[in-house]
Amino acid sequence: MNENYIVNIVLPVLLTLGAPVVGGLLMGVDRKITARMQSRVGPPLIQPFYDAIKLWNKRPVIASRLQPVLAFSYLGFSLLAFGLLMFRQDLLVIVFTTALADTCLITASLNSKSPYSYLGGRRELLSVLAYEPVLIMAFLSIYMVTGSFLVDEVLAYRMPLLIQLPAVLIALVLVLIVEMKKSPFDVSASGHAHQELVRGVYTEFSGYTMAMLELGHWVKVTLVLSIVTLFWAPNLLIGAALSLAAFFIVLVVDNSYPRLTWRSMIKTTWGVGFILILANIVGLNLMGVI
Amino acid sequence: MKTKTKARLKSPWVLHYDCGSCNGCDIEILAALTPKFDAERFGIVNIGDPKQADLLVVTGPANRRNHRVLKRLYDQMPDPKVVMAVGTCASTGGIFHNCPNTLGGIDKVIPVDVYVPGCAARPEQIIDGVVLALQKLSEMSEKEDD
Ligand code: SF4
């Protein structure tokens, strides 16, 4: 009884609160690996935390009074989505919660007169449009195999999902690229050296609002990586290795491709993503598995 | 040192504004960001958004056309902020000093904290200038608490 309590409540809460820390470290690893790929030394591993603390303490310039509220909701809904995953709830509800988080971000960016922020917000909307159907299709295929959308039952499934759904995992890597705002799909916000539209959706944020958006972004990246972890549910350590491998592939792609336009982004994610997932489902059907 | 000050010193985000320089100094600033000098190892990122930048790096002389833009960029940057004038032009007007359309150095328009002389300033000098600017930033940060 007591142990159940720890596993069902305390552990998920702790994991959810730890998500920003894990996400921040992942971003540090990202910057370090990217630097090494460009034969640079790169910033220290905890650089993202320095950035976040600095932003938090900088005097903010608030473009509209709604923006801090929306930035806070973005972080809140991202954490809620991650929490739902840790409490082993419904996968579909998790997608809709992340969609709500994105809506907050987009509304906040449209809530200023800056044309750059406006364009960035519209492009963010397009990237949501690009990855969300693929994510839902991936969950649908998980449902077809395991017979449930509940993470609890996906975890209890008798064999690793990867064996039956290898192509779906590749489609999820596409989702991860869009979600991490990496080349070739970094249309909505530009970080680091490649500047376009000033800072895209993030243009009008500063100080603590920007820090909250950064935290929310880390949590969302960790969320998608945790979903990849589900593909080797019987042993979550192997699953974590799998998600780190996906993370590394995203970085390789990021460093070897230039940015595409938003049209190509939607064509690629929908075209490649849907074909991969459908081929996987049809293949399983032909083999008589489902 | 406080965590706040340390974080500020470890992550200076740069806004680079070209005030009409000959582009010699701009190329040197970009050189400082390339793998050879790798400014990102100090957390320096060329951010391009005044609302998130800590360090305004200006090249070229202020002139009658763009001094308003320069002033506005400076005003849009939230505190604490530091301004660096890179190159002789930005410091004093340089070879453009007696042109009818220029006002002279950028300190005619906004307060400058660090001057990096040279035509063009070398990347090593620019990084040196950033180190000086960070000292200034740390003083500002400590003073803020008193
Ligand atoms: S200081 Fe020299 S190199 Fe730099 S902008 Fe002026 S003229 Fe060009």
Side-chain angles (χ1 to χ4, degrees):
Chain A
M1 183 65 212
N2 221 358
E3 270 191 15
N4 261 346
Y5 173 74
I6 290 182
V7 171
N8 287 337
I9 303 199
V10 179
L11 193 64
V13 169
L14 282 183
L15 284 175
T16 309
L17 293 182
V21 180
V22 176
L25 281 177
L26 280 172
M27 291 297 143
V29 172
D30 161 9
R31 283 175 76 169
K32 198 87 196 167
I33 292 180
T34 303
R36 284 293 151 84
M37 282 178 188
Q38 299 166 352
S39 62
R40 290 187 287 126
V41 181
L45 203 59
I46 51 170
Q47 183 65 40
F49 296 104
Y50 286 135
D51 292 347
I53 296 173
K54 177 205 72 178
L55 282 171
W56 190 271
N57 285 303
K58 211 162 155 61
R59 217 194 69 200
V61 179
I62 307 291
S64 90
R65 270 199 235 151
L66 200 56
Q67 273 188 347
V69 181
L70 287 170
F72 184 73
S73 323
Y74 175 71
L75 173 58
F77 283 126
S78 309
L79 276 174
L80 183 66
F82 194 81
L84 284 172
L85 184 69
M86 291 298 119
F87 275 103
R88 306 199 286 279
Q89 295 302 314
D90 201 316
L91 283 172
L92 281 182
V93 179
I94 293 171
V95 191
F96 297 141
T97 317
T98 54
L100 213 52
D102 283 321
T103 315
C104 289
L105 173 60
I106 294 162
T107 321
S109 69
L110 297 185
N111 210 285
S112 76
K113 293 205 180 81
S114 158
Y116 301 110
S117 172
Y118 181 76
L119 257 178
R122 282 199 344 192
R123 286 185 173 193
E124 177 72 17
L125 200 59
L126 287 165
S127 30
V128 173
L129 198 70
Y131 81 77
E132 208 141 84
V134 181
L135 198 58
I136 292 180
M137 287 277 282
F139 289 169
L140 213 59
S141 56
I142 292 180
Y143 169 76
M144 284 177 143
V145 171
T146 64
S148 170
F149 279 118
L150 278 184
V151 177
D152 212 9
E153 285 174 31
V154 174
L155 282 173
Y157 189 60
R158 63 196 150 80
M159 63 158 105
L161 285 174
L162 181 64
I163 294 173
Q164 291 184 339
L165 301 172
V168 175
L169 186 68
I170 302 174
L172 273 185
V173 172
L174 280 180
V175 172
L176 191 62
I177 299 178
V178 183
E179 183 67 86
M180 283 178 72
K181 297 192 178 30
K182 289 284 184 195
S183 289
F185 305 142
D186 53 345
V187 292
S188 71
S190 46
H192 305 257
H194 18 143
Q195 286 164 20
E196 192 192 64
L197 299 177
V198 188
R199 272 276 271 168
V201 262
Y202 298 138
T203 306
E204 285 298 315
F205 297 94
S206 58
Y208 69 93
T209 54
M210 187 60 210
M212 280 196 283
L213 292 188
E214 287 272 347
L215 285 179
H217 181 223
W218 302 349
V219 173
K220 280 180 71 188
V221 171
T222 322
L223 175 76
V224 180
L225 284 172
S226 316
I227 289 170
V228 173
T229 309
L230 283 184
F231 274 70
W232 206 285
N235 186 345
L236 284 180
L237 274 182
I238 300 180
L242 203 63
S243 66
L244 285 183
F247 184 70
F248 186 71
I249 290 170
V250 172
L251 295 188
V252 173
V253 172
D254 177 41
N255 279 295
S256 36
Y257 281 91
R259 171 189 300 162
L260 295 178
T261 58
W262 62 265
R263 279 191 196 85
S264 326
M265 173 178 77
I266 293 187
K267 273 183 206 150
T268 319
T269 47
W270 284 16
V272 179
F274 284 174
I275 288 173
L276 279 174
I277 294 174
L278 282 179
N280 202 326
I281 294 175
V282 171
L284 281 180
N285 221 325
L286 288 180
M287 285 190 286
V289 181
I290 49 172
Chain B
M1 207 190 312
K2 287 219 184 75
T3 325
K4 186 166 84 175
T5 312
K6 175 139 201 233
R8 275 177 185 157
L9 296 189
K10 283 281 191 180
S11 113
W13 286 1
V14 169
L15 173 68
H16 169 208
Y17 181 56
D18 174 356
C19 229
S21 81
C22 79
N23 262 318
C25 287
D26 304 297
I27 288 170
E28 300 301 321
I29 286 176
L30 292 183
L33 298 171
T34 54
K36 189 169 180 201
F37 297 97
D38 186 23
E40 203 198 350
R41 70 199 142 120
F42 306 119
I44 300 172
V45 174
N46 190 0
I47 202 75
D49 184 349
K51 295 196 170 182
Q52 292 162 18
D54 307 289
L55 197 56
L56 176 60
V57 175
V58 187
T59 54
N63 61 42
R64 288 183 206 287
R65 263 280 169 222
N66 64 19
H67 73 275
R68 272 175 257 116
V69 182
L70 180 62
K71 183 83 177 63
R72 189 187 248 178
L73 281 176
Y74 178 79
D75 290 339
Q76 275 181 346
M77 282 172 65
D79 285 325
K81 59 188 166 191
V82 188
V83 181
M84 239 174 97
V86 171
T88 312
C89 286
S91 307
T92 62
I95 54 164
F96 302 113
H97 73 280
N98 54 1
C99 290
N101 61 334
T102 58
L103 302 172
I106 58 161
D107 50 6
K108 296 261 162 53
V109 185
I110 55 174
V112 177
D113 297 294
V114 178
Y115 296 90
V116 180
C119 179
R122 289 200 316 243
E124 292 95 330
Q125 277 179 309
I126 297 173
I127 293 176
D128 248 12
V130 173
V131 173
L132 271 178
L134 288 184
Q135 276 171 19
K136 184 105 188 193
L137 194 68
S138 120
E139 281 164 26
M140 278 165 126
S141 186
E142 307 271 280
K143 221 186 279 168
E144 193 183 52
D145 298 323
D146 298 339

